[in-house]
Amino acid sequence: MKNHHIIVFLFSFFIIMSLQYGFVSCTEEKKVYVVYLGEHSGDKTLKEIEDHHCSFLHSVKGTANSKEDARASLVHSYKNIINGFSALLTPQEADMISGMEGVISVFHSDPHEIKPHTTRSWDFVNLLEGTSLIKSGEELLQNASYGKDIIVGVMDSGVWPESSSFNDEGMDPVPKSWKGICQEGVAFNASHCNRKLIGARYYLKSYEANFGPLNETRDFRSPRDVDGHGTHTAGTVGGRRVENASAIGGFAKGTAAGGAPNVRLAIYKVCWPVPDQSLAEGNTCVTDDILAAFDDAIADGVDVLSVSLGSIPRTTYYTQNAIAIGSLHAVKRNIVVSCSAGNDGPTPSTVGNVAPWIITVGASSIDRVFSSPIMLGNGMLVEGQTVTPIRRRRLRPLVFAGDVEIRGTTATNTTGACLPGTLSRNLVRGKVVLCLNGGFQASMEVKRAGGVAAILGNTFNEITVTPFLDPTTVAFSYGLNTILTYIRSEKNPMATLLPGKTLIGTKPAPVMAPFSSKGPNIVDPNILKPDITAPGFNILAAWSEASSPLKLPEDHRVVKYNMLSGTSMSCPHVSAVIALLKSIHPDWSSAAIRSALMTTSTINNVVGRPITNATGNDANPFEYGAGHFRPSRAVDPGLVYDATYTDYLLYLCSKNISLDSSFGCPEKVPAASNLNYPSLAIANMRGSSRTVTRVVTNVGKDNSTYILAVRSPPGYVVDIVPKTLHFSKLQEKHSFNITVRAQNVERRNEFSFGWYTWSDGVHVVRSPIAVSSV
């Protein structure tokens, strides 16, 4: 019994000492944490910075070799602009550091949080511009010198440098403002950089700290892209003109070109394959590797950052999200950051990258489809779409998947879905199979069971095309019903798939993509997100020749160009236009550029009707933000809503957040809705009214007068004072007050939408309004 008391005493003593001095059990799990300290003052050497970072770790290690342990645990030391580091820590060590002087936030670098948001599009954008008074897209490019002196940093999965889209023929020498490097590695050396691809880096430290050494049979330890996603986004921003480019099978054939063909591209590879997953399941991009890329990109001298990555934000977004933190440092230096909105739509409150200093981009369609009709045995044609090469074949027996399943392999809600292992070979062999839904797995299941072709279902009005390995087309839900009725009414139903064709000029367009993430902004609904929409649906661009079109082990095809859909594709469209605007207006701030893009956008399609979503209903600002961008109009917006770094810090004060220790919040903090943003959102309005202020800057012409027009959201009255703004000179500013009053609000806690505009007869400066009451 005495020994028992001694053991209990020693155990208790050990626990107390562990809590007090930081000793931990050998079984306590270590994770990578980011310690964010703000920004460097510029008075320390690189060695002093790293020693300072290690001092935090040394103080919590509590071991005889704590200095060595501290340095060994360090993953990243951010030394350029961003002040902070990442390290392998126990939760207890992380908690101890969070209470130390100078620490703004400490957070786990979740290796699974941030992922990529994955020809004709630029012609379509020109078509949507509208009037003959506006410069054509080609004139915009010429006026911007095709973006030749602008450096765009692309944060993604790397690049395939041999692509013709990245040739530097005829390009001028690299701008002297560039301070970056061409980091060598496996299958990538200094010769792979040129006057187009002026720099490249890769970031692996945290990825390997989380997952172990990179499997070099699956990716290159270098900036070279295996996945294809990074090559595609880089090509969309700034690919050179390449004639006769097309997807596999010759679809979408034409001249491939980025939006700003002469911009310089700097590649920051932060995304890598997830162990034990196929490339088709997506890459992962580790938080503290991303923060390291931001730190380098800012110091390297980029002008624009295109980031087609993200996640659905958490409540700790502003203090713990690498893209939010990194982009704030970038915007302070007038680097414009364009980010994808996410691919979690059409579910509400899924929009990511919601910081007001980021330009957040949704995705919509263009006026091009890839028609592959289904011919039924009775001669009827049913609309289908595909980019799968199909040879004309004779009619074959047609069956519904639900009628040819292996008993017991499906549940009631999955009948007819063509899930893996569910179809009977005896009943499917030699037949065309109708599947109610599904992607490449459904197509492969039909092939496995011996089917000759697959017809897949789509519940939306827009179809994301896929280059299937076997004859497959996708039909709309109404087409499925037609085919199913035919199967049920015919004794010997027959069908064949007709070869696909590229059709241009389809209407209506644009239509919001079904996957495009939607508002309201879950972090702060008083900031309306996304900001804008751009083409992100079935976009053709450069591709990695180390990756097949489907990114599946079964797919051994090699292509130079490939079709992808996602807000990852719409983001670089906007990034390209930002580069052109920066070339024409080098003195404009990041906020002014965002304002110009937003206030000149359109909420109408090419036939003059409201943009719809993929279910056929009118879309709203939680889907398209201010609308679909119109680049040539953004060059001359008339008025802009400007904002500074200080304005963003004041906004953060309204959230009780400080990300800059040199800035003190005032006693009276302005409400979040008062940020000088080109859109207006008032969430959960209490009382009968709310008044906010906006300030516009004249960038149009001298001696101009702007007249107000308002469409109040249903259930509210919007009153703006004054109703006329007169400007005698350029850069003159005027403020106005917007009062929103609740009147006959039918549905509380639901948003209602409207807009207001300022117009001088030439310029129309339009802002969306979103209001909800409690």
Side-chain angles (χ1 to χ4, degrees):
M1 183 64 71
K2 181 183 290 186
N3 289 339
H4 171 75
H5 287 305
I6 292 172
I7 291 170
V8 170
F9 171 78
L10 290 174
F11 180 75
S12 301
F13 177 79
F14 177 77
I15 293 296
I16 293 169
M17 295 299 287
S18 296
L19 292 172
Q20 186 170 353
Y21 295 106
F23 304 131
V24 296
S25 73
C26 59
T27 59
E28 190 166 6
E29 182 183 4
K30 291 186 178 182
K31 299 177 181 178
V32 178
Y33 286 85
V34 175
V35 179
Y36 178 52
L37 305 171
E39 191 166 294
H40 291 294
S41 60
D43 58 354
K44 289 186 174 68
T45 66
L46 298 183
K47 184 180 183 304
E48 287 173 334
I49 291 170
E50 186 164 318
D51 287 345
H52 177 60
H53 294 163
C54 285
S55 69
F56 287 90
L57 300 170
H58 169 54
S59 66
V60 299
K61 288 299 176 183
T63 64
N65 300 314
S66 57
K67 287 188 177 180
E68 291 78 4
D69 290 346
R71 201 162 292 278
S73 68
L74 188 68
V75 177
H76 284 293
S77 176
Y78 309 125
K79 303 185 182 78
N80 296 316
I81 307 298
I82 299 170
N83 189 6
F85 61 92
S86 61
L88 277 166
L89 300 169
T90 65
Q92 181 186 328
E93 290 170 339
D95 186 57
M96 292 173 68
I97 291 177
S98 69
M100 294 181 179
E101 185 177 354
V103 175
I104 292 175
S105 63
V106 178
F107 53 95
H108 175 219
S109 178
D110 187 343
H112 299 287
E113 180 182 3
I114 297 176
K115 296 180 179 180
H117 283 146
T118 300
T119 58
R120 169 64 184 170
S121 58
W122 291 109
D123 291 331
F124 172 69
V125 170
N126 291 339
L127 177 68
L128 203 60
E129 289 282 5
T131 96
S132 59
L133 296 175
I134 302 299
K135 301 180 182 70
S136 71
E138 188 60 34
E139 287 175 322
L140 168 60
L141 285 168
Q142 291 174 358
N143 290 340
S145 301
Y146 297 83
K148 72 172 186 176
D149 291 325
I150 304 300
I151 302 168
V152 180
V154 181
M155 213 170 285
D156 214 297
S157 64
V159 69
W160 191 261
E162 291 83 1
S163 172
S164 298
S165 291
F166 307 124
N167 81 82
D168 66 351
E169 183 178 350
M171 293 191 72
D172 291 340
V174 175
K176 293 181 179 179
S177 61
W178 175 245
K179 299 178 178 62
I181 63 171
C182 188
Q183 185 178 6
E184 297 191 339
V186 176
F188 198 99
N189 56 49
S191 68
H192 287 116
C193 291
N194 56 24
R195 294 182 178 188
K196 160 58 71 175
L197 287 175
I198 64 172
R201 297 177 185 262
Y202 68 96
Y203 302 83
L204 254 179
K205 288 182 179 179
S206 190
Y207 174 88
E208 293 192 318
N210 281 284
F211 297 112
L214 175 70
N215 181 346
E216 297 196 30
T217 66
R218 301 194 64 210
D219 206 339
F220 297 101
R221 187 180 290 274
S222 75
R224 182 173 288 278
D225 181 20
V226 161
D227 181 81
H229 190 275
T231 301
H232 198 281
T233 55
T236 303
V237 174
R240 307 298 301 281
R241 295 183 185 274
V242 179
E243 295 182 358
N244 297 316
S246 67
I248 195 166
F251 290 96
K253 187 173 183 178
T255 298
N262 280 0
V263 295
R264 316 309 175 108
L265 295 172
I267 305 301
Y268 299 87
K269 182 178 177 181
V270 295
C271 299
W272 305 85
V274 180
D276 304 319
Q277 288 187 10
S278 71
L279 286 176
E281 293 176 273
N283 277 3
T284 187
C285 322
V286 185
T287 294
D288 55 316
D289 284 341
I290 291 172
L291 208 53
F294 267 104
D295 192 39
D296 283 336
I298 296 168
D300 287 346
V302 303
D303 301 298
V304 181
L305 271 168
S306 187
V307 186
S308 291
L309 320 170
S311 59
I312 298 175
R314 302 171 180 171
T315 54
T316 53
Y317 170 76
Y318 287 119
T319 56
Q320 298 188 9
N321 183 278
I323 298 174
I325 292 170
S327 60
L328 181 60
H329 288 276
V331 167
K332 182 180 180 182
R333 286 153 183 83
N334 210 26
I335 299 167
V336 191
V337 184
S338 171
C339 294
S340 47
N343 299 336
D344 295 295
T347 305
S349 299
T350 52
V351 61
N353 294 316
V354 295
W357 47 86
I358 289 172
I359 298 177
T360 311
V361 189
S364 40
S365 68
I366 62 176
D367 63 340
R368 179 182 64 192
V369 299
F370 305 94
S371 177
S372 172
I374 303 111
M375 177 181 281
L376 303 180
N378 60 6
M380 180 182 290
L381 292 178
V382 177
E383 184 180 359
Q385 293 182 26
T386 193
V387 287
T388 305
I390 295 173
R391 290 184 292 109
R392 180 70 178 263
R393 295 185 179 184
R394 60 185 174 85
L395 292 165
R396 303 299 292 268
L398 171 66
V399 294
F400 169 52
D403 298 333
V404 292
E405 291 170 344
I406 301 169
R407 182 172 295 181
T409 59
T410 61
T412 303
N413 62 341
T414 59
T415 297
C418 296
L419 298 178
T422 60
L423 299 182
S424 166
R425 286 181 178 271
N426 292 335
L427 300 176
V428 169
R429 189 176 293 112
K431 297 180 174 65
V432 178
V433 181
L434 174 67
C435 307
L436 290 183
N437 50 44
F440 59 81
Q441 284 188 330
S443 175
M444 291 170 66
E445 173 60 12
V446 171
K447 175 68 173 178
R448 181 202 64 79
V452 296
I455 304 167
L456 309 182
N458 178 73
T459 56
F460 296 106
N461 290 343
E462 295 293 318
I463 291 175
T464 304
V465 293
T466 302
F468 297 104
L469 287 167
D470 304 293
T472 303
T473 195
V474 182
F476 297 107
S477 55
Y478 59 82
L480 289 185
N481 292 333
T482 299
I483 299 170
L484 194 54
T485 299
Y486 167 72
I487 291 173
R488 296 288 184 243
S489 62
E490 285 287 327
K491 186 176 181 180
N492 296 303
M494 306 284 282
T496 188
L497 308 186
L498 300 183
K501 294 181 180 179
T502 303
L503 302 180
I504 291 174
T506 57
K507 299 172 183 177
V511 172
M512 292 306 302
F515 53 76
S516 189
S517 289
K518 294 173 57 176
N521 176 346
I522 198 171
V523 175
D524 184 0
N526 295 292
I527 300 295
L528 200 158
K529 291 286 183 173
D531 293 310
I532 206 163
T533 188
F537 208 78
N538 298 330
I539 304 300
L540 182 74
W543 195 246
S544 167
E545 293 183 45
S547 179
S548 64
L550 289 178
K551 301 197 286 189
L552 290 171
E554 298 88 346
D555 189 359
H556 303 292
R557 299 171 294 179
V558 176
V559 297
K560 296 180 183 295
Y561 291 85
N562 196 25
M563 201 90 65
L564 279 188
S565 294
T567 55
S568 282
M569 284 63 255
S570 55
C571 168
H573 277 83
V574 171
S575 303
V577 175
I578 291 168
L580 299 178
L581 292 176
K582 283 202 71 106
S583 180
I584 295 172
H585 298 291
D587 57 328
W588 278 11
S589 69
S590 172
I593 288 174
R594 176 181 51 237
S595 176
L597 286 166
M598 291 175 65
T599 60
T600 59
S601 63
T602 180
I603 59 171
N604 292 328
N605 57 32
V606 292
V607 296
R609 301 289 299 165
I611 293 173
T612 58
N613 57 31
T615 60
N617 298 314
D618 288 355
N620 63 51
F622 286 159
E623 295 168 278
Y624 52 58
H628 193 285
F629 79 153
R630 293 189 289 183
S632 294
R633 290 174 182 258
V635 174
D636 182 21
L639 306 175
V640 294
Y641 295 81
D642 211 346
T644 65
Y645 174 70
T646 300
D647 292 324
Y648 296 132
L649 295 182
L650 276 171
Y651 163 77
L652 289 172
C653 288
S654 73
K655 317 303 293 179
N656 294 315
I657 293 170
S658 174
L659 294 183
D660 188 333
S661 58
S662 68
F663 180 82
C665 291
E667 287 187 15
K668 188 176 181 181
V669 176
S673 295
N674 262 305
L675 178 65
N676 200 39
Y677 214 69
S679 57
L680 172 63
I682 298 176
N684 305 318
M685 187 171 77
R686 296 180 182 278
S688 60
S689 68
R690 174 84 63 83
T691 299
V692 300
T693 301
R694 289 289 188 269
V695 178
V696 286
T697 303
N698 180 27
V699 295
K701 57 182 181 179
D702 295 336
N703 295 315
S704 54
T705 300
Y706 284 80
I707 307 299
L708 175 72
V710 179
R711 174 173 289 179
S712 297
Y716 299 87
V717 174
V718 175
D719 183 33
I720 297 178
V721 177
K723 301 185 184 328
T724 301
L725 301 176
H726 178 73
F727 298 89
S728 58
K729 59 184 179 180
L730 289 175
Q731 300 305 315
E732 186 177 348
K733 299 179 185 291
H734 278 306
S735 65
F736 55 92
N737 292 327
I738 308 172
T739 300
V740 179
R741 293 184 176 86
Q743 188 178 73
N744 302 320
V745 178
E746 292 185 5
R747 297 183 177 181
R748 300 280 172 176
N749 300 311
E750 287 192 16
F751 277 90
S752 185
F753 304 102
W755 50 259
Y756 69 93
T757 64
W758 294 103
S759 178
D760 65 349
V762 176
H763 307 94
V764 178
V765 187
R766 185 183 177 282
S767 295
I769 302 171
V771 186
S772 72
S773 299
V774 293

